[in-house]
């Protein structure tokens, strides 16, 4: 058909035997017949072309499963996507692009070993794929296996230049820009993808998040509503709108939408994570843990590790350090058995800070030093090695700080800063820089220099809330306590400023973009500050909140006993 008038330009037919003949011969015959005499040179048309079955799959059944799996993947129905994609590669073990999507599904299911295995298979059979599919595979391989972001970006740009009408190319490049916080560039690419397919769920989803990243919540909400309309009955669009409401501070709307999404599909776990975080953000820990249990009831296989990760983090939050430590140790073993790098590194990351609070320094130091050695041996590009090396160097500096080895901690900070030089444009850089700034502020306070601590704290740039993705949301809250400025004011006797800092840390609403969980110890410390100020009613409120949130905390913590003693004294007075 002529696109603008729908006038018939050419028709053709082809016959075959059985469904698989569609791929074996009919698509090729129809393509050649329809293409003749509609603008292409006959000489070029007659040039031998590879057959469709040689570039994709010879099994129509496998291709059908691939299409269903890809569609579910784009709408984050990952359990269904995995099932269909596994059927596709079982029917055709050389189906390269099906392995590519299976790798992406595995990543969402916290199965890094499965992701890597599928990507290696995709690369093994990439020679059979079309050039376009090969570029997609090589880009994903560069990002996930080689940790070479620059190479991945070059390949994605090549894809969009060579195939400007390929919606998935613009979608992937847009998602890549989004991961770099280049939201306006992401919008450009994702709008192109949506113009090519107005009902492209994955692109609509990422477009909404990109507008949210720019702070344009009105446009983001409109895009998510459009996403919902294009995919009726699908839980992920509703879940995405709920997450937007968390960003906006509209927690009532977020709660309603999360529950709506959770009710649409019994194996959809995303909204369980969202509700767990949302309730924890509002210090409703009973409801938070209820939704983690619901997540664990729904999740299968490796995805359960994500729920356990959040559960142990909630134990940590509520002062149950020994329970959390035992949980993370067991989770690390599960991750090791499952070859899940994400879970092992996430457990190590949290265990590092947790063990410092328990005084288990040597064990943590050996883990981090081993990880530094592993990073040096990785086949990553130098920038990735430097930034990840800086992260673990700072974690070792944190151990030095907690042990009172202040000069050693300063050397670690200087080494991390040296490693970070030249990496300023990388996505990970702001996160590593924040840890460096926190370490330096804490060092100054430990050296009894609160003015310098305040100067360092003034440099803090808290990276924006990354959303409900557990890969980012838990690290977003680490180091767990960032009240160094409040404690510096307190040390200086500036009680009004200290109280204001604590209240700001504990204020999460639509007037700010602060979405870190509130450490219960902030209530105890604010109670102390208010008591010193002479605000006895205010102190009573904070002590009671603290004791409620830490009612099951380890007995070794001195703060609950002190809070109870102070409450009794205030009541008697």
């Amino acid at each position: 058909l002529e696109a603008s008038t729908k006038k018939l330009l050419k028709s053709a037919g082809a016959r075959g035997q059985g469904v698989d003949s569609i791929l074996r011969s009919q698509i090729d015959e129809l393509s050649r017949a329809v293409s003749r005499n509609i603008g292409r040179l006959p000489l070029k048309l007659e040039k031998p072309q590879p057959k469709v079955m040689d570039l994709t799959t010879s099994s129509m059944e496998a291709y059908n499963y691939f299409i269903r799996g890809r569609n579910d993947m784009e709408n984050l129905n990952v359990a269904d996507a995995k099932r269909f994609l596994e059927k596709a590669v079982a029917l055709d073990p050389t189906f390269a692009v099906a392995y590519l999507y299976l790798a992406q599904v595995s990543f969402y299911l916290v199965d890094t070993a499965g992701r890597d295995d599928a990507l290696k298979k995709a690369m093994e059979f990439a020679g059979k794929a079309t050039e376009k599919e090969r570029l997609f595979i090589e880009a994903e391989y560069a990002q996930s296996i080689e940790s070479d972001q620059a190479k991945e970006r070059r390949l994605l740009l090549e894809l969009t230049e060579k195939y400007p009408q390929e919606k998935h190319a613009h979608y992937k490049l847009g998602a890549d820009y989004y991961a770099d916080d280049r939201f306006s560039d992401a919008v450009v690419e994702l709008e192109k993808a949506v113009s090519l397919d107005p009902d492209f769920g994955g692109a609509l989803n990422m477009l909404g998040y990109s507008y949210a990243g720019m702070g344009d919540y009105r446009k983001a909400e409109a895009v998510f509503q459009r996403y919902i309309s294009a995919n009726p009955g699908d839980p992920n669009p509703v879940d995405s709108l709920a997450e937007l409401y968390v960003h906006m501070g509209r927690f009532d709307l977020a709660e309603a939408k999360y529950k709506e999404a959770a009710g649409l599909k019994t194996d959809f776990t995303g909204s369980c994570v969202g509700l767990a975080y949302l309730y924890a953000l509002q210090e409703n820990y009973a409801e938070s843990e209820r939704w983690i249990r619901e997540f664990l009831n729904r999740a299968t296989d490796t995805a359960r590790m994500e729920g356990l990760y959040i559960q142990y983090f909630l134990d940590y939050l509520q002062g149950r350090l020994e329970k959390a430590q035992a949980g993370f140790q067991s989770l690390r073993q599960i991750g090791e058995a499952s070859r899940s790098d994400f879970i092992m590194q996430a457990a190590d990351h949290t265990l590092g800070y947790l063990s410092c609070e328990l005084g288990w320094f040597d064990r943590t130091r050996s883990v981090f030093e081993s990880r530094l050695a592993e990073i040096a041996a990785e086949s990553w590009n130098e920038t990735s090695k430097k930034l990840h090396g800086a992260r673990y160097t700072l974690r070792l500096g944190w151990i030095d700080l907690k042990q009172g080895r202040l000069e050693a901690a300063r050397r670690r900070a200087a080494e991390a800063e040296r490693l970070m030089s030249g990496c300023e444009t990388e996505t990970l850089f702001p996160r590593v820089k924040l840890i460096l700034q926190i370490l330096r502020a804490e060092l100054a306070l430990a050296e009894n220099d609160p003015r310098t601590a305040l100067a360092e704290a003034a440099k803090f740039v808290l990276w924006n809330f990354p959303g409900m993705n557990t890969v980012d949301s838990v690290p977003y809250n680490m180091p767990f306590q960032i009240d160094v400025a409040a404690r510096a004011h307190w040390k200086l006797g500036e009680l009004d400023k200290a109280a204001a800092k604590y209240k700001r840390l504990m204020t999460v609403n639509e007037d700010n973009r602060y979405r870190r969980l509130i450490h219960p110890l902030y209530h105890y410390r604010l109670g102390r500050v208010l008591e010193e100020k002479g605000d006895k009613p205010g102190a009573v409120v904070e002590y009671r909140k603290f004791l409620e949130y830490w009612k099951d905390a380890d007995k070794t913590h001195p703060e609950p006993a002190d809070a109870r003693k102070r409450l009794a004294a205030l009541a008697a007075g």
Side-chain angles (χ1 to χ4, degrees), residues 389-410:
R391 291 176 80 183
Y392 280 90
T393 298
L394 289 169
R395 290 172 188 175
L396 287 165
W398 193 263
I399 298 171
D400 290 328
L401 169 71
K402 296 299 181 180
Q403 283 189 288
R405 300 169 53 180
L406 304 187
E407 187 55 41
R410 285 207 173 278

Side-chain angles (χ1 to χ4, degrees), residues 91-367:
L91 288 163
D92 182 355
T94 68
F95 197 169
V97 74
Y99 282 117
L100 170 65
Y101 280 88
L102 183 58
Q104 294 172 357
V105 168
S106 297
F107 175 75
Y108 276 102
L109 291 171
V110 203
D111 183 6
T112 50
R115 178 201 66 182
D116 293 352
D117 289 346
L119 270 178
K120 288 170 184 175
K121 284 285 189 182
M123 279 294 287
E124 181 182 349
F125 301 114
K128 180 186 173 184
T130 65
E131 181 191 37
K132 181 168 62 177
E133 291 170 346
R134 178 182 56 77
L135 287 170
F136 275 119
I137 291 167
E138 289 179 356
E140 192 77 22
Y141 192 89
Q143 179 192 45
S144 301
I145 303 298
E146 299 174 330
S147 291
D148 193 337
Q149 187 178 20
K151 180 179 178 181
E152 182 219 16
R153 181 69 50 79
R154 287 196 303 271
L155 290 163
L156 291 177
L157 286 168
E158 184 179 349
L159 262 167
T160 56
E161 289 167 4
K162 287 185 174 180
Y163 303 97
Q165 300 301 306
E166 171 52 58
K167 66 179 184 179
H168 289 98
H170 294 292
Y171 165 64
K172 286 293 291 181
L173 182 57
D176 206 51
Y177 285 140
Y178 175 84
D180 274 356
D181 293 342
R182 293 174 55 179
F183 302 122
S184 57
D185 291 330
V187 164
V188 170
E189 294 300 326
L190 294 164
E191 289 281 15
K192 289 177 184 176
V194 171
S195 70
L196 292 164
D197 180 357
D199 294 334
F200 186 0
L204 287 169
N205 189 43
M206 193 57 67
L207 181 60
Y209 279 112
S210 298
Y211 278 124
M214 296 169 66
D216 193 338
Y217 295 138
R218 182 185 60 81
K219 283 187 178 179
E221 186 174 14
V223 170
F224 284 137
Q225 292 287 6
R226 181 177 166 188
Y227 180 25
I228 291 170
S229 298
N231 296 270
D234 190 332
N236 193 67
V238 182
D239 178 87
S240 295
L241 181 59
E243 188 170 323
L244 173 66
Y245 289 140
V246 175
H247 283 272
M248 294 170 67
R250 298 298 309 275
F251 297 152
D252 53 339
L253 295 178
E255 180 182 0
K257 285 299 176 183
Y258 274 134
K259 288 181 176 177
E260 179 185 338
L264 288 172
K265 209 169 185 185
T266 57
D267 61 353
F268 184 73
T269 58
S271 290
C272 299
V273 173
L275 284 163
Y277 195 94
L278 177 62
Y279 282 121
L281 196 61
Q282 299 174 90
E283 301 179 289
N284 186 343
Y285 302 120
E287 277 298 290
S288 183
E289 292 183 326
R290 185 174 80 82
W291 282 100
I292 290 300
R293 290 193 295 272
E294 179 63 21
F295 176 98
L296 292 170
N297 287 336
R298 296 184 180 205
T300 57
D301 301 330
T302 55
R304 287 179 56 83
M305 292 189 289
E306 183 180 7
L308 293 172
Y309 182 29
I310 303 170
Q311 176 60 67
Y312 301 145
F313 191 75
L314 287 175
D315 288 328
Y316 183 13
L317 180 69
Q318 295 173 81
R320 301 191 288 262
L321 302 191
E322 293 187 9
K323 182 178 179 182
Q325 192 274 341
F328 279 117
Q329 288 281 20
S330 66
L331 182 60
R332 196 195 190 287
Q333 292 171 359
I334 295 170
E336 191 170 0
S338 304
R339 295 190 297 141
S340 174
D341 287 341
F342 160 65
I343 287 297
M344 287 190 288
Q345 292 179 30
D348 284 344
H349 176 74
T350 313
L351 275 168
Y353 291 107
L354 196 160
S355 296
C356 282
E357 294 186 37
L358 289 166
W360 299 343
F361 301 116
D362 293 342
R363 183 189 307 177
T364 309
R365 187 182 298 278
S366 65
V367 169

